[in-house]
Amino acid sequence: METVTIKDKMFSLSIPAAEIQTAISKLAEKLNHELVGKDPLFLVILNGSFMFAADLFKMLTIPCEVSFVKLSSYRGTSSTEVVKTMIGLSDDIKGRTIVVIEDIVDTGHTLEHLMKMLDEQQPADIKICTLLFKPNAYLKCIRIDYVGIEIPNDFIVGYGLDYDGFGRNLADIYKIV
Ligand code: 5GP
Ligand code: MG
């Protein structure tokens, strides 16, 4: 499909599924190589990251665990500075290597909120892994260790990302027209 309509907005194809999978394979290869012996805990940020996390996790060959937190900052098509914790951290992360799994890093507000929350629990190390990154929207200095694909400042949907709750089921990524 070249275009899709979700509610009142139209979107055009931006990143085809095959390109997404290639980017994920490269991320997995790096993680498998660089986190040997660390037995990391992958912390998936719901909701948007569920599809990325599932595909990435199948490509990991190192011993690792997965857990989930749910944060929310987006309203409609723009990011807000108010990040809410909808489901918090239930694991003991003290002394662990944590790999945060994000669908997309935009302004970085969500990431900052999360880092504060995690730092309090004294993990050994925190790595950030995001499928998508909008460098021109990023306002923070937190280092992002693993980036799948850099994208311009367009609002996108698909592959887990939503517009007002819809569009997460699309296998490709679409941008607003
Ligand atoms: P940030 O706090 O970095 O501004 O935004 C992070 C969160 O906002 C992401 O995890 C994602 O859930 C959501 N987000 C950021 N950019 C987009 C976008 O272009 N489309 C959608 N659907 N969500 C986005
Ligand atoms: Mg997210």
Side-chain angles (χ1 to χ4, degrees):
M1 279 185 295
E2 281 302 312
T3 62
V4 291
T5 300
I6 302 171
K7 293 191 152 183
D8 58 332
K9 302 216 185 303
M10 204 161 89
F11 297 84
S12 65
L13 184 62
S14 177
I15 312 172
E19 199 179 315
I20 299 171
Q21 295 303 319
T22 303
I24 298 174
S25 308
K26 287 182 186 161
L27 288 173
E29 207 177 304
K30 272 195 203 147
L31 292 163
N32 285 328
H33 182 70
E34 292 177 17
L35 299 177
V36 170
K38 302 280 184 193
D39 294 5
L41 170 67
F42 285 82
L43 196 60
V44 181
I45 314 306
L46 297 173
N47 289 330
S49 306
F50 75 96
M51 216 177 266
F52 169 43
D55 283 344
L56 177 72
F57 217 65
K58 284 179 275 184
M59 297 181 198
L60 297 176
T61 53
I62 48 170
C64 56
E65 290 182 275
V66 65
S67 190
F68 302 87
V69 298
K70 182 171 174 177
L71 303 178
S72 171
S73 74
Y74 248 60
R75 289 282 163 275
T77 60
S78 60
S79 185
T80 73
E81 288 186 31
V82 186
V83 182
K84 282 197 227 154
T85 304
M86 319 299 277
I87 300 173
L89 186 66
S90 57
D91 307 77
D92 180 11
I93 62 165
K94 192 168 179 175
R96 297 288 307 266
T97 295
I98 307 300
V99 185
V100 171
I101 300 295
E102 262 288 23
D103 48 355
I104 182 165
V105 176
D106 184 9
T107 61
H109 290 309
T110 306
L111 205 56
E112 190 179 63
H113 176 91
L114 182 73
M115 293 301 270
K116 276 186 195 145
M117 190 170 118
L118 298 180
D119 273 338
E120 285 169 11
Q121 314 250 356
Q122 299 174 289
D125 196 8
I126 306 172
K127 306 268 187 216
I128 313 289
C129 174
T130 186
L131 176 62
L132 304 162
F133 179 47
K134 292 181 182 170
N136 299 328
Y138 195 53
L139 301 171
K140 309 292 175 188
C141 307
I142 302 163
R143 191 166 60 97
I144 304 175
D145 305 274
Y146 303 95
V147 174
I149 306 169
E150 287 194 358
I151 61 166
N153 271 1
D154 304 307
F155 180 74
I156 56 162
V157 294
Y159 197 72
L161 291 120
D162 71 307
Y163 167 51
D164 243 1
F166 288 82
R168 295 193 196 274
N169 51 308
L170 299 163
D172 309 286
I173 290 173
Y174 292 79
K175 70 174 178 198
I176 200 158
V177 290

